[in-house]
Amino acid sequence: MSPAAGPAPWAEESGAVFPGERRAQPACPGAGGRAGAMGPARRRDALRLRGGGSPPLLRLFPGRLSAFPLFLLLLLLGFASLLWLQLSCSGEGPLPGGQPRGAPRQPCPPPAPLQPPQEEPSWGPHRLALLVPFRERFEELLAFVPYMHRFLSKKRIRHRIFILNQVDHFRFNRASLINVGFLESGNDTDYIAMHDVDLLPLNEHLDYSFPEAGPFHVASPELHPLYHYKTYVGGILLLTKQHYELCNGMSNRFWGWGREDDEFYRRIKGAGLQVRRPSGITTGYETFQHLHDPAWRKRDQKRIAAQKQEQFKVDREGGLNNVRYRVESRTDLSVAGAPCTVLNILLDCDTNETPWCTFG
């Protein structure tokens, strides 16, 4: 290309200056209409000469830096910082200040302690013991504890959640576990909820307050998704501790699944108590979420030996007064930030009295 040909078009667009060439001076404002306006390319050059424009960090990168590469850079820097912190706490990374590797390190900060429920005096004087009979339903437990803690806290119900975990080798005994939970719930609770782990209340208008007038059946036949007979009192039942003692608790003769709540209904009536149920709830059978999947978890519905006849009888002798058990361990823990107490319970069985307590 000969010198007479002039600068290349790309040079004019970019504002590049070649040796020996003088850049044209822009016209003074007002001297020639549009001639006084500075083009985008020339404005970038002027900012670059004056030291203005992009922040120092962005000047390290050529051209324009879009939002995504910048986000990626910040993400990498954050990850590197966390990695350095972990290595410095664990003893794998370099020590600050050039200290030798054998020098003592400052320990990592301990995890934050579990926070108790944020109760207030306006919540009232009563405290609920939520008694949850349990065995090997961990996926349901992980959903139940945080959900019920939020549900009750939103309703300003003082509460403690007790997971009654049966760890012996006998068949499951829901009634005996509730008796144990009642005895182990402490003096700081004055009423109980016999609560299935696979049943979650969806309607915020359901009442979990102190049932002073008598047993309150939250999961009433009109609302429970599965059981609709009139004498049903299972699922979720609230009682004051005084009323539960008046009934002598529940019968310990029901090993396996079912019938213990039907027998307890007769105890309630025998104690002269009247079962109350929710009113004004319009959500019907969609009031609760039932987490149990019968295809995945089979219930122990076997009736062994004389159990077929005994399951329909009223136990007029046993209950709180003769439940036989030992608490193997008691652990306070948090599930997704929700506090609960897990009791590992070893029930005992008199095989001469109830031979159907074993799987044989």
Side-chain angles (χ1 to χ4, degrees), residues 8-19:
W10 58 267
E12 292 181 353
E13 293 178 0
S14 64
V17 181
F18 292 92

Side-chain angles (χ1 to χ4, degrees), residues 54-66 69-70 73-74 77:
S54 302
L57 179 61
L58 298 184
R59 293 180 203 161
L60 299 176
F61 302 94
R64 294 184 178 181
L65 188 65
S66 63
L70 180 60
L73 172 65
L74 295 176
L77 290 175

Side-chain angles (χ1 to χ4, degrees), residues 270-328:
L273 300 174
Q274 184 67 36
V275 176
R276 299 180 303 113
R277 292 189 166 106
S279 61
I281 303 296
T282 60
T283 45
Y285 297 150
E286 296 181 355
T287 303
F288 300 95
Q289 180 182 2
H290 194 235
L291 300 177
H292 183 79
D293 184 0
W296 168 253
R297 190 182 298 280
K298 302 293 184 182
R299 288 189 169 120
D300 178 14
Q301 299 180 348
K302 293 181 180 179
R303 297 295 181 259
I304 302 172
Q307 188 179 14
K308 295 180 180 179
Q309 293 75 35
E310 292 287 334
Q311 65 180 341
F312 297 107
K313 295 181 180 180
V314 177
D315 180 8
R316 304 188 184 278
E317 299 179 358
L320 279 175
N321 62 316
N322 69 346
V323 60
R324 300 163 57 179
Y325 72 97
R326 178 170 63 88
V327 176
E328 184 181 62

Side-chain angles (χ1 to χ4, degrees), residues 131 133 173-180 182 192 194 233-234 237 239 244-245 247-254 259-265 267-268 315 317-323:
L131 306 182
N173 192 322
R174 177 177 179 268
S176 290
L177 291 175
I178 292 174
N179 286 338
V180 174
F182 176 88
I192 67 171
M194 303 154 51
V233 290
L237 181 66
L239 296 96
Y244 193 76
E245 288 180 329
C247 298
N248 191 24
M250 304 184 76
S251 172
N252 301 302
R253 298 176 62 84
F254 289 86
R259 298 297 183 186
E260 77 285 340
D261 48 358
D262 295 335
E263 198 270 349
F264 188 64
Y265 176 81
R267 291 183 176 228
I268 292 174
D315 180 8
E317 299 179 358
L320 279 175
N321 62 316
N322 69 346
V323 60

Side-chain angles (χ1 to χ4, degrees), residues 23-309:
R23 184 185 301 275
Q25 298 296 325
C28 296
R34 299 173 63 100
M38 182 183 295
R42 296 179 182 276
R43 187 180 296 111
R44 285 198 302 269
D45 292 336
L47 289 173
R48 198 174 291 119
L49 290 173
R50 289 197 300 267
S54 302
L57 179 61
L58 298 184
R59 293 180 203 161
L60 299 176
F61 302 94
R64 294 184 178 181
L65 188 65
S66 63
F68 179 75
L70 180 60
F71 170 77
L72 185 60
L73 172 65
L74 295 176
L75 188 64
L76 291 174
L77 290 175
F79 176 76
S81 301
L82 291 175
L83 181 61
W84 178 86
L85 179 62
Q86 176 66 25
L87 291 177
S88 63
C89 290
S90 62
E92 298 296 332
L95 286 169
Q99 301 179 29
R101 181 166 292 276
R105 294 175 177 268
Q106 183 176 1
C108 296
L114 301 179
Q115 296 297 325
Q118 299 298 320
E119 298 179 352
E120 299 179 2
S122 62
W123 288 20
H126 303 289
R127 178 174 278 112
L128 169 67
L130 198 72
L131 306 182
V132 186
F134 178 80
R135 176 183 265 179
E136 298 178 351
R137 292 187 175 187
F138 294 102
E139 69 281 0
E140 297 170 4
L141 184 66
L142 294 176
F144 178 87
V145 173
Y147 183 89
M148 289 306 304
H149 176 64
R150 290 193 302 266
F151 184 87
L152 294 173
S153 297
K154 186 177 181 181
K155 296 179 71 63
R156 300 185 176 184
I157 301 292
R158 298 178 187 270
H159 62 278
R160 293 184 64 189
I161 300 176
F162 293 90
I163 307 302
L164 313 172
N165 184 29
Q166 184 176 340
V167 296
D168 54 70
H169 298 291
F170 297 112
R171 299 172 71 190
F172 188 66
N173 192 322
R174 177 177 179 268
S176 290
L177 291 175
I178 292 174
N179 286 338
V180 174
F182 176 88
L183 296 171
E184 298 290 333
S185 59
N187 296 326
D188 60 338
T189 58
D190 54 359
Y191 72 112
I192 67 171
M194 303 154 51
H195 210 300
D196 287 352
V197 71
D198 58 3
L199 200 61
L200 300 180
L202 302 179
N203 192 318
E204 62 181 10
H205 298 295
L206 289 169
D207 189 6
Y208 276 75
S209 62
F210 186 74
E212 187 172 3
F216 185 74
H217 187 209
V218 180
S220 66
E222 297 81 10
L223 304 176
H224 196 282
L226 295 180
Y227 307 113
H228 309 140
Y229 56 95
K230 292 183 180 180
T231 59
Y232 175 68
V233 290
I236 308 169
L237 181 66
L238 308 182
L239 296 96
T240 67
K241 286 195 167 182
Q242 181 182 3
H243 288 159
Y244 193 76
E245 288 180 329
L246 189 62
C247 298
N248 191 24
M250 304 184 76
S251 172
N252 301 302
R253 298 176 62 84
F254 289 86
W255 300 88
W257 180 83
R259 298 297 183 186
E260 77 285 340
D261 48 358
D262 295 335
E263 198 270 349
F264 188 64
Y265 176 81
R266 299 183 183 181
R267 291 183 176 228
I268 292 174
K269 304 299 285 186
L273 300 174
Q274 184 67 36
V275 176
R276 299 180 303 113
R277 292 189 166 106
S279 61
I281 303 296
T282 60
T283 45
Y285 297 150
E286 296 181 355
T287 303
F288 300 95
Q289 180 182 2
H290 194 235
L291 300 177
H292 183 79
D293 184 0
W296 168 253
R297 190 182 298 280
K298 302 293 184 182
R299 288 189 169 120
D300 178 14
Q301 299 180 348
K302 293 181 180 179
R303 297 295 181 259
I304 302 172
Q307 188 179 14
K308 295 180 180 179
Q309 293 75 35

